Amino acid sequence: MGEMLSAARRRLFDAAEADGAPAELFEALKYPQETTAISLPLRRDDGSLTLVKAWRCRYSDHLGPTKGGLRFHPSVNADEVQTLAFWMMVKCALLELPFGGGKGGAAIDARALTPFERERLTRGYAEALSHVLGPERDIPAPDVGTGPTEMAWIAETYGAHFGRAVPHVATGKPPVLGGLDGRAGATGDGAFHVLEALAGPLGLGDDAKRIAVQGYGSGGRRFAERAAEVGWTVVAVSDSSGTAFAGDGLDLEAVGRAKDEDGEVSGAYGAEAMEADALFDLDCDLLVPAALGGVIDEARAKDLRCTALLEIANGPVKPEADAALEEKGIAVAPDVLANGGGVFVSWLEWVQGRSQVPIPAEEVADRLKTRLTARAEAVAEASRELNLGLRGAAYALAARRLSQAIRAGGADAFSGVGSNDD
Ligand code: NAD
């Protein structure tokens, strides 16, 4: 087992232990259920051949078909894919969705591919894994390096393989192909609802107003815009090219223009340009990592100058940094809750695909707000009840639901077997 997965599992098992979880949970979730590794031949536009390593992991389907994104990034590896699948399992359980956890990835820089190369790679992936995927088996969605177009290619390739239209084999599709209008902003919207529900437990009083967001992509940008609408001051945002900073608050329209037109936030009108990592040194109330995982290690945690963290990225805080954050009194709204809006709306898209009954945008927004707020409040309550941090409490709640599912299909059915006197 890889180091990353082993550390992630420890976090869940520690919280489950503190909550008195049954022994069966630890046994049932010890290893991923199924990981498929493939090597995909990718024919480049110039006629040359590149062999791309790719994976799909279904960590656990105790609560339903496995669900999770598809990542195209050069750093993808088997340990990361399995860990991301594990976190999806925790997230779906915490949000009380009828899904298990899955994830996929290919070790390639999607930005270095032409659109035709990306199409060949994505279709090749879907074809090679057509026996793993399925609307009742394993359902991909966008993640870093993939988006609605890749999901459209997956749904079409899968459908062609089985000779029928199966749009709900993937979520996050373009709306005209069965996607939901609200899916693109769902992760940022969900994170915003979590912030509203958890401001108190995060130690953010009425005068806390300064936000810094690392990663101005689909999740981070939407979150920053929602927070600014209700009076938060976004003092800094970054992308891989650099940071845009303004002590009195950024003009987000100018930042959006810079991102859309030049692909870089750091050139935004009226903002001071800084190195990408300079964002972590800034004084702020809330720091929001919304790029890649593992960006806050122990050394960086010790130097942070914020009151709280809200994790839109998956796994931005390395487990080794947990103690340093606790010592500094920095509370964390954990990824499995804070970025759960994406998978929640994916579930609605899947329901719409199965039923063929459209779900209006207002209903999507209302249901997202209601569910994310309720689960955030449940996490805050469990944190008080169990005397655990918000991450521990979120994990304990997820473990409770997983335990119930595991026992309902096993231990509960057989309790008493062998002790019957008749
Ligand atoms: P995205 O590709 O749209 O955006 C990522 C952003 O991060 C880009 O602006 C990129 O420039 C920036 N970035 C990359 N390296 C950086 C660096 N070193 N410093 C600063 N910025 C950097 O991706 P996304 O969909 O917004 O996903 C971001 C994170 O959120 C990922 O960890 C993903 O797994 C997680 N997440 C996304 C969703 C979703 O629905 N989009 C759902 C759950 C979790």
Side-chain angles (χ1 to χ4, degrees):
M1 168 172 305
E3 248 178 64
M4 195 177 169
L5 176 58
S6 162
R9 203 184 57 174
R10 187 73 264 141
R11 270 180 174 162
L12 178 73
F13 285 7
D14 283 351
E17 228 169 273
D19 192 34
E24 242 178 272
L25 174 92
F26 305 98
E27 192 59 23
L29 301 182
K30 208 154 65 171
Y31 305 122
Q33 194 169 309
E34 172 187 311
T35 306
T36 309
I38 53 176
S39 301
L40 277 175
L42 169 65
R43 183 66 64 190
R44 310 302 286 255
D45 288 356
D46 65 4
S48 65
L49 188 73
T50 303
L51 199 64
V52 181
K53 292 183 83 173
W55 297 266
R56 186 78 198 170
C57 172
R58 302 176 66 239
Y59 198 94
S60 130
D61 66 359
H62 290 99
L63 284 166
T66 46
K67 183 88 193 77
L70 172 62
R71 179 175 290 194
F72 288 170
H73 192 273
S75 68
V76 167
N77 58 51
D79 188 19
E80 183 185 77
V81 170
Q82 291 183 327
T83 308
L84 287 162
F86 178 87
W87 286 329
M88 284 305 298
M89 169 191 77
V90 175
K91 194 182 305 180
C92 292
L94 172 64
L95 295 178
E96 301 188 332
L97 295 175
F99 286 141
K103 200 81 178 192
I108 192 154
D109 184 357
R111 290 171 310 180
L113 300 178
T114 67
F116 294 122
E117 290 171 343
R118 269 206 342 265
E119 178 173 3
R120 282 195 287 276
L121 177 71
T122 310
R123 287 187 185 276
Y125 182 90
E127 183 63 43
L129 292 173
S130 52
H131 62 294
V132 173
L133 305 177
E136 273 88 35
R137 194 169 195 281
D138 183 35
I139 308 141
D143 194 76
V144 177
T146 63
T149 309
E150 282 75 12
M151 297 308 115
W153 288 330
I154 289 177
E156 203 183 277
T157 306
Y158 181 89
H161 183 93
F162 290 103
R164 57 182 192 269
V166 194
H168 50 300
V169 68
T171 60
K173 300 180 297 292
V176 70
L177 296 178
L180 288 176
D181 280 324
R183 175 62 184 87
T187 300
D189 286 344
F192 170 71
H193 298 315
V194 169
L195 170 62
E196 297 249 284
L198 290 187
L202 287 171
L204 299 169
D206 289 345
D207 53 344
K209 283 288 165 244
R210 292 160 63 83
I211 294 187
V213 182
Q214 188 221 14
Y216 211 56
S218 78
R221 178 171 175 172
R222 175 71 167 206
F223 170 80
E225 289 170 351
R226 291 290 309 259
E229 272 168 24
V230 298
W232 288 84
T233 305
V234 182
V235 292
V237 302
S238 67
D239 58 20
S240 46
S241 71
T243 295
F245 170 76
D248 294 338
L250 290 163
D251 170 354
L252 291 187
E253 264 181 40
V255 175
R257 257 196 318 276
K259 186 73 183 162
D260 294 339
E261 288 167 16
D262 311 323
E264 299 182 357
V265 292
S266 53
Y269 179 76
E272 184 184 331
M274 296 173 155
E275 294 290 307
D277 279 0
L279 180 124
F280 291 108
D281 302 329
L282 297 171
D283 224 337
C284 60
D285 298 302
L286 183 68
L287 178 62
V288 183
L292 287 172
V295 294
I296 300 178
D297 58 12
E298 192 182 0
R300 182 164 276 166
K302 285 183 173 161
D303 289 341
L304 289 180
R305 295 163 63 198
C306 58
T307 305
L309 284 169
L310 182 131
E311 300 180 326
I312 289 184
N314 282 307
V317 174
K318 288 188 169 175
E320 64 178 48
D322 286 350
L325 292 177
E326 203 181 326
E327 218 163 274
K328 290 188 71 162
I330 297 179
V332 181
D335 47 7
V336 291
L337 173 68
N339 70 25
V343 72
F344 180 77
V345 173
S346 272
W347 169 60
L348 294 180
E349 180 179 335
W350 181 76
V351 168
Q352 174 179 274
R354 284 169 60 109
S355 65
Q356 296 288 315
V357 179
I359 306 179
E362 312 77 63
E363 187 181 331
V364 172
D366 282 354
R367 291 177 74 170
L368 173 66
K369 182 175 179 187
T370 305
R371 179 71 63 98
L372 269 284
T373 303
R375 297 316 293 152
E377 287 170 356
V379 168
E381 195 184 318
S383 165
R384 287 189 293 272
E385 178 202 329
L386 299 171
N387 197 23
L388 289 173
L390 294 170
R391 191 192 309 281
Y395 273 55
L397 289 184
R400 270 184 208 173
R401 192 161 176 90
L402 283 157
S403 299
Q404 284 164 6
I406 291 162
R407 289 184 66 84
D412 286 352
F414 299 116
S415 63
V417 171
S419 63
N420 192 335
D421 290 341
D422 295 338

